[in-house]
Amino acid sequence: MSDIFDWGQLSEEDSRVIMKFVSENNSLVREVMRNEFPTLYIGRATEEVARGWIMIAGREKVMNFISSRG
């Protein structure tokens, strides 16, 4: 299966896990994205950041990051 970059294609469980992580670590996620992609803006609100993170990094990278922090 190829990686997912579209929020609408995520499972409910993945969406829930990502939203929970971003709501608890919004500034961390924004900082990581700013360091990796300095010219991109993914927003400030939890939903914007979560959707932008998936769109840019993909499900696999996002879930690996979350599991490495948990």
Side-chain angles (χ1 to χ4, degrees):
M1 181 178 178
S2 63
D3 204 0
I4 297 172
F5 292 86
D6 181 348
W7 185 264
Q9 294 179 349
L10 292 174
S11 70
E12 284 186 38
E13 176 66 15
D14 286 348
S15 298
R16 186 188 62 73
V17 167
I18 294 166
M19 285 298 270
K20 182 179 186 306
F21 183 84
V22 173
S23 72
E24 295 170 354
N25 300 281
N26 191 307
S27 60
L28 171 64
V29 173
R30 287 187 4 250
E31 184 65 25
V32 167
M33 294 306 295
R34 218 178 356 256
N35 288 336
E36 193 167 346
F37 304 99
T39 60
L40 298 179
Y41 175 73
I42 63 169
R44 287 195 172 275
T46 299
E47 186 173 313
E48 291 174 330
V49 173
R51 289 175 180 265
W53 195 19
I54 285 294
M55 188 181 347
I56 295 164
R59 180 200 173 278
E60 186 174 324
K61 190 170 184 176
V62 168
M63 296 306 277
N64 286 341
F65 184 85
I66 291 171
S67 64
S68 74
R69 299 289 177 169

